[in-house]
Amino acid sequence: MVILRVLGFVPHPIFCVSQPGQDVRLKQVKAVADRLFERSALKTVFALNGEIVIRTFALVSTFSLFTNLSSSFGTVVLATNTLLLQVVTFAAYFIDGLAFATESMAGMLHGRGERTGLRQLMAVSGAISLCMGLLFSVAFIAAPHLLFSMLTNHANILNQVPQYVFWLLPILGFGSIAYLLDGYFLGLTQGRILRQSSVFAALLGFLPTATLAWQLQNVHFLWLALSLFMLTRVLTLGLSVPNTLKSDPLK
């Protein structure tokens, strides 16, 4: 410092003395960095991600097996079932939007311990989600030729649709609640409940009836299997909801 002064260069104070604001910011950054690499937090994140992966694998496997079994009934049935699944997927985009909103709000309410808010959220979101699912199913059941003709122009497939279109009612009815509960428990970061529900629904709700449908070569049994899959998810997830509304946070 003395040499610099002799040479005529006087350093700016910022190089000599640390500023109070800088110290505060450095402490804040250090605190955030310590939390980012906290072992228990990282363990929780990876455990949650693993459970969500298993849950998603069970869902994807169920729909993939449904499509695979549909192919054993012939090309027309495969095309018809795929067309109906497109309606389920289309409706899911709208229902998932509500589920995403429920996920965010459930997480905030749960973090603040507002159980009354969670009850109101479930009541309002559940009613809206169910109405959306039923609205889509009723619309396609009421006017199958008009609506499905916008998806295909093959007459042989359009003639098959009325035989199975009524299965949209239970699938979208139960499915709308299942999708909403997915978002709810994701907001609460309860991956274990989601994993157990999906695996249980796939193995016990869908697989036995789907196997029977393949053995009997009955398409309606195959749709029944998918309906039972949705219903089982609703029941298993729904039974876990009361525990989240108690005074103590869910462990």
Side-chain angles (χ1 to χ4, degrees):
M1 185 69 65
V2 175
I3 298 175
L4 291 176
R5 290 182 181 276
V6 171
L7 294 175
F9 175 73
V10 180
H12 192 276
I14 192 173
F15 296 106
C16 303
V17 182
S18 62
Q19 302 299 311
Q22 285 183 325
D23 292 339
V24 173
R25 286 192 292 270
L26 288 174
K27 290 180 180 178
Q28 292 175 341
V29 170
K30 186 178 183 302
V32 172
D34 291 340
R35 292 181 62 186
L36 285 175
F37 296 100
E38 186 179 346
R39 180 176 298 180
S40 60
L42 287 174
K43 182 179 179 181
T44 301
V45 169
F46 283 114
L48 177 61
N49 286 341
E51 289 164 341
I52 292 176
V53 166
I54 296 173
R55 165 254 186 191
T56 304
F57 179 77
L59 295 178
V60 172
S61 298
T62 298
F63 281 95
S64 298
L65 184 57
F66 177 89
T67 302
N68 188 280
L69 291 176
S70 296
S71 65
S72 67
F73 295 98
T75 305
V76 175
V77 172
L78 173 62
T80 303
N81 286 359
T82 303
L83 195 64
L84 291 170
L85 283 182
Q86 289 298 313
V87 176
V88 175
T89 303
F90 179 68
Y93 286 124
F94 292 86
I95 299 170
D96 273 345
L98 181 62
F100 291 147
T102 301
E103 176 184 341
S104 299
M105 296 185 66
M108 291 187 293
L109 292 170
H110 181 72
R112 295 199 294 258
E114 298 182 14
R115 304 299 178 230
T116 301
L118 284 175
R119 294 188 187 95
Q120 294 173 345
L121 174 66
M122 288 301 295
V124 174
S125 299
I128 296 175
S129 183
L130 180 60
C131 288
M132 291 176 64
L134 294 178
L135 180 63
F136 273 98
S137 59
V138 169
F140 279 89
I141 291 172
H145 185 79
L146 175 64
L147 295 177
F148 282 100
S149 62
M150 294 187 292
L151 301 177
T152 183
N153 57 1
H154 293 278
N156 55 343
I157 298 175
L158 291 173
N159 292 334
Q160 289 286 321
V161 165
Q163 298 183 43
Y164 312 110
V165 69
F166 67 88
W167 285 109
L168 291 177
L169 190 61
I171 289 174
L172 287 179
F174 296 138
S176 62
I177 301 300
Y179 294 146
L180 177 70
L181 290 174
D182 266 354
Y184 177 75
F185 283 105
L186 279 173
L188 303 187
T189 65
Q190 293 301 317
R192 178 179 58 85
I193 294 175
L194 293 172
R195 168 179 55 81
Q196 292 177 343
S197 173
S198 297
V199 172
F200 187 83
L203 295 179
L204 298 180
F206 175 78
L207 192 58
T209 308
T211 302
L212 182 62
W214 175 69
Q215 291 177 343
L216 299 178
Q217 286 294 288
N218 190 306
V219 182
H220 289 289
F221 271 38
L222 187 58
W223 282 104
L224 175 62
L226 193 59
S227 300
L228 291 175
F229 172 75
M230 295 294 186
L231 175 60
T232 305
R233 290 186 66 214
V234 171
L235 293 177
T236 51
L237 292 173
L239 289 174
S240 300
V241 170
N243 290 333
T244 68
L245 302 178
K246 294 179 179 179
S247 57
D248 294 330
L250 191 65
K251 300 298 182 182

